[in-house]
Amino acid sequence: MAGGFQDMLKLIRDLTHTLEDLTAAQKAVASAVRTDDLEKLGECMKKEQALSLALRNADQRRVKLQAELGLENVRLSQLPEHVQDDHMRQEIKAAGEALSIQYQLLQSAAEVARSALECSLHEVEGMMTKLGFDPVQTLEQTASVSGAHTDFHA
């Protein structure tokens, strides 16, 4: 079982690093939007997709590890309570706290990036309207021509 907790500790640390990378990507998105760098924005979005896939894979590993440890319904914050070894308990607790802090930083960076994207989109809509285009109608026509039938107002 000690090996299982070692694996869980490694997983928590890997998740923290992935969230650090996602936080950096969110900051890069905000920067790309501020500087109108569409190429950089596209690269950031590709990186976000790859990191999202890594998170899904990590979650699958977490589910498997927790099942192996018999801790299927235990939250990360409760995990240290189930570790008998004092040293391992402290390591898992510290890693869990670091993960939680990094998650909060990610949420903050994501909010800044989302806000920057929304502001930029409003600017584009304003410019299109000034030029005599209806942004909604233009999007609907583009979607219809490309074969997509997405309702952006849904």
Side-chain angles (χ1 to χ4, degrees):
M1 191 175 277
F5 284 114
Q6 266 308 79
D7 293 342
M8 184 63 76
L9 179 61
K10 182 180 179 341
L11 175 65
I12 294 168
R13 288 177 175 159
D14 289 347
L15 279 170
T16 302
H17 292 299
T18 302
L19 292 184
E20 287 171 354
D21 291 344
L22 267 172
T23 302
Q26 291 298 312
K27 290 178 180 178
V29 165
S31 174
V33 170
R34 280 192 297 271
T35 59
D36 294 325
D37 189 341
L38 292 179
E39 186 175 325
K40 183 178 177 184
L41 182 60
E43 291 170 10
C44 292
M45 296 183 120
K46 287 178 187 176
K47 185 170 186 166
E48 284 178 337
Q49 288 175 337
L51 290 168
S52 293
L53 181 60
L55 284 177
R56 278 188 291 247
N57 291 337
D59 192 50
Q60 291 173 348
R61 287 186 5 232
R62 178 196 56 80
V63 168
K64 183 181 174 190
L65 276 173
Q66 283 189 269
E68 289 173 6
L69 293 168
L71 303 172
E72 290 93 341
N73 297 316
V74 175
R75 297 177 55 99
L76 177 62
S77 60
Q78 300 168 329
L79 192 59
E81 300 168 17
H82 299 274
V83 181
Q84 293 178 357
D85 179 81
D86 287 336
H87 179 71
M88 180 59 68
R89 181 182 315 114
Q90 291 304 318
E91 283 196 59
I92 287 181
K93 182 178 179 184
E97 289 170 355
L99 178 61
S100 180
I101 290 168
Q102 189 58 50
Y103 181 71
Q104 291 170 2
L105 291 171
L106 172 61
Q107 286 182 313
S108 178
E111 177 63 28
V112 169
R114 184 186 63 76
S115 184
L117 283 166
E118 286 178 356
C119 287
S120 184
L121 285 173
H122 287 299
E123 287 178 18
V124 169
E125 286 177 353
M127 284 187 265
M128 289 179 73
T129 301
K130 281 183 181 178
L131 293 172
F133 294 100
D134 178 359
V136 174
Q137 183 179 4
T138 303
L139 283 173
E140 289 172 352
Q141 287 172 345
T142 303
S144 178
V145 168
S146 69
H149 302 288
T150 303
D151 182 1
F152 291 99
H153 295 286

